[in-house]
């Protein structure tokens, strides 16, 4: 089945779509997963979850902090009245306690910052008359009564050979289902690939939850909680399904040995599939669900051989920014 993530990659670049499809289900070390900076421990981005996380971390932070204070006082006494060498020897375990107290303290500060954002947010309502993306506040949506939950598994439409699992779902009291796409990059803008993904997630939500509506998709910057709400109607869902069928034909053509077109413009510049990595035999292999494939190496910075997923699959050198950087 084609995963919605692979379709999004295809809209970005046909070759990226083929690569994403061939790595579906793999825990590939070559593909970076979206991460939540400083908040990976927060499961649902709600006030209750934030408070639970604070209550979980604070006792350990207090315990480590007090242990550090007492420990460093003892080290000072040992250094002042007994042996400086002994105090230095005992400094290592004390430093480990200090490191743990510091990391827990930073986590607590991150949680407190999010609680402050939540407190300052005002309820945000989605304008049913909107015809384009609308910038909204994540905590404003939560305060307006939207409930955030993480799907327990992937949704499927066997008739389209399509599957996908939204990162989160926002649910309303009248059974609306709003898929959420998490963004963790530095350039937070709306792209066609994200809109197509949200449209297909909306389609899967309507199929999974019979009788429910799914008229919006949310593009969320997980670091700042800045959001764009994307209106989704039947026309947009149909457009995404047409794109899915084109992608399916490309996959068939690739399976039959037909070339996949070289991307136009500059999608390769920051693409993870085209990012060169040092060639290490048996370690850095490009892996697909069917197994590893051979490396197409080039001389990288300082002359070491490098290769990439896209280069290995399509036997070329993607125009990644690596090749324009100084060695």
């Amino acid at each position: 089945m084609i995963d919605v993530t692979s379709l999004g990659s295809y809209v970005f670049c046909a070759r990226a779509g083929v690569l994403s499809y061939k790595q579906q289900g793999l825990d590939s070390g070559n593909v970076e997963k979206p991460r939540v900076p400083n908040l990976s421990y927060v499961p649902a981005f709600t006030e209750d979850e934030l408070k639970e996380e604070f209550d979980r971390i604070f006792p350990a932070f207090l315990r480590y902090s007090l242990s550090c204070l007492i420990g460093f006082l003892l080290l000072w006494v040992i250094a002042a009245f007994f042996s400086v060498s002994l105090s230095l020897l005992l400094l290592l375990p004390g430093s480990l306690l200090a490191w743990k107290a510091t990391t827990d303290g930073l986590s607590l500060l991150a949680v407190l910052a999010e609680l402050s954002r939540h407190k300052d947010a005002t309820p945000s309502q989605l304008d049913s008359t909107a015809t384009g993306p609308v910038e909204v506040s994540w905590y404003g949506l939560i305060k307006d009564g939207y409930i955030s939950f993480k799907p327990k598994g992937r949704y499927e439409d066997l008739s389209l050979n399509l599957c996908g699992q939204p990162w989160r779902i926002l649910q309303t009291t009248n059974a609306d289902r709003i898929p959420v796409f998490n963004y963790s990059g530095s350039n937070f803008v709306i792209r066609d690939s994200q809109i197509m993904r949200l449209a297909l997630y909306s389609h899967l939500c309507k199929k999974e939850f019979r009788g429910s509506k799914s008229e919006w998709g949310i593009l969320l910057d997980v670091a700042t909680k800045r959001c764009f709400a994307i209106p989704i109607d039947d026309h947009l869902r149909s457009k995404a399904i047409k794109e899915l069928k084109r992608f399916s034909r490309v996959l068939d053509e690739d399976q039959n040995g037909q070339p996949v077109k070289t991307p136009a413009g500059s999608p390769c510049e920051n693409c993870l599939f085209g990012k060169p990595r040092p060639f290490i035999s048996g370690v850095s292999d490009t892996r697909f669900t069917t197994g590893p494939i051979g490396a197409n190496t080039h001389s990288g910075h300082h002359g070491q051989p490098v290769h990439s997923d896209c280069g290995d699959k399509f036997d070329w050198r993607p125009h990644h920014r690596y090749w324009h950087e100084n060695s």
Side-chain angles (χ1 to χ4, degrees):
M1 300 185 75
I2 297 175
D3 192 277
V4 173
T5 302
S6 296
L7 184 279
S9 297
Y10 165 75
V11 174
F12 172 74
C13 165
R15 291 187 170 185
V18 171
L19 289 163
S20 180
Y21 174 78
K22 288 181 173 292
Q23 293 182 340
Q24 284 181 184
L26 292 180
D27 184 17
S28 174
N30 304 331
V31 180
E32 295 180 5
K33 303 296 189 300
R35 294 182 298 275
V36 184
N38 299 324
L39 280 174
S40 58
Y41 46 81
V42 181
F45 297 101
T46 65
E47 183 181 24
D48 288 343
E49 297 288 354
L50 287 164
K51 288 180 178 179
E52 287 178 11
E53 193 61 26
F54 182 90
D55 292 340
R56 185 186 70 82
I57 297 174
F58 183 73
F61 168 73
L62 191 61
R63 186 168 58 252
Y64 285 119
S65 298
L66 289 175
S67 298
C68 285
L69 179 61
I70 294 171
F72 284 119
L73 283 175
L74 288 174
L75 289 176
W76 178 81
V77 171
I78 292 172
F81 298 101
F82 296 98
S83 169
V84 174
S85 299
L86 179 59
S87 68
L88 291 175
L89 184 64
L90 296 174
L91 184 62
L92 179 58
S95 299
L96 293 175
L97 287 174
W99 175 80
K100 189 64 173 68
T102 300
T103 55
D104 283 352
L106 292 174
S107 296
L108 286 175
L109 288 175
V111 172
L112 289 172
E114 292 303 304
L115 285 170
S116 178
R117 287 181 183 177
H118 182 278
K119 180 180 178 181
D120 294 339
T122 56
S124 299
Q125 293 186 345
L126 297 176
D127 182 3
S128 59
T129 65
T131 58
V134 180
E135 187 164 357
V136 294
S137 162
W138 172 262
Y139 289 131
L141 293 172
I142 298 299
K143 277 194 169 182
D144 196 51
Y146 290 91
I147 300 171
S148 170
F149 70 91
K150 186 175 182 179
K152 294 181 180 179
R154 70 181 191 177
Y155 305 150
E156 298 179 347
D157 184 345
L158 299 180
S159 66
L160 292 176
N161 198 35
L162 175 70
C163 65
Q165 181 174 334
W167 181 70
R168 292 289 188 278
I169 296 286
L170 285 180
Q171 179 179 332
T172 63
T173 53
N174 59 351
D176 284 359
R177 300 294 197 284
I178 302 176
V180 181
F181 178 91
N182 64 321
Y183 185 87
S184 59
S186 58
N187 185 22
F188 185 55
V189 294
I190 302 172
R191 296 182 174 85
D192 287 343
S193 59
Q194 298 159 348
I195 293 176
M196 291 297 99
R197 284 181 64 171
L198 286 170
L200 288 180
Y201 283 138
S202 169
H203 169 81
L204 290 172
C205 284
K206 286 172 64 67
K207 189 170 182 64
E208 181 75 16
F209 304 99
R210 298 288 184 179
S212 67
K213 295 189 298 182
S214 185
E215 299 176 345
W216 292 91
I218 297 293
L219 175 61
L220 167 68
D221 184 337
V222 291
T224 65
K225 304 304 175 296
R226 184 184 174 201
C227 297
F228 286 107
I230 314 294
I232 299 175
D233 56 14
D234 289 339
H235 174 73
L236 185 57
R237 280 186 285 266
S238 295
K239 181 180 178 181
I241 291 172
K242 289 179 181 177
E243 203 71 49
L244 175 68
K245 292 178 179 178
R246 293 191 192 99
F247 181 32
S248 183
R249 288 196 294 269
V250 169
L251 292 174
D252 288 341
E253 290 169 359
D254 175 71
Q255 184 69 24
N256 293 326
Q258 298 181 42
V260 179
K261 65 179 181 180
T262 304
S266 57
C268 302
E269 186 174 351
N270 297 302
C271 181
L272 293 172
F273 292 115
K275 182 179 181 180
R277 60 184 182 275
F279 171 71
I280 305 173
S281 181
V283 176
S284 69
D285 297 348
T286 292
R287 299 183 183 278
F288 296 151
T289 53
T290 52
I293 63 173
N296 177 36
T297 61
H298 298 271
S299 180
H301 299 332
H302 309 296
Q304 84 278 28
V306 297
H307 67 126
S308 66
D309 287 13
C310 190
D312 294 348
K313 162 62 179 167
F314 298 107
D315 194 25
W316 75 312
R317 197 186 81 174
H319 308 302
H320 193 273
R321 66 179 179 181
Y322 169 90
W323 301 108
H324 307 295
E325 296 171 344
N326 293 328
S327 59

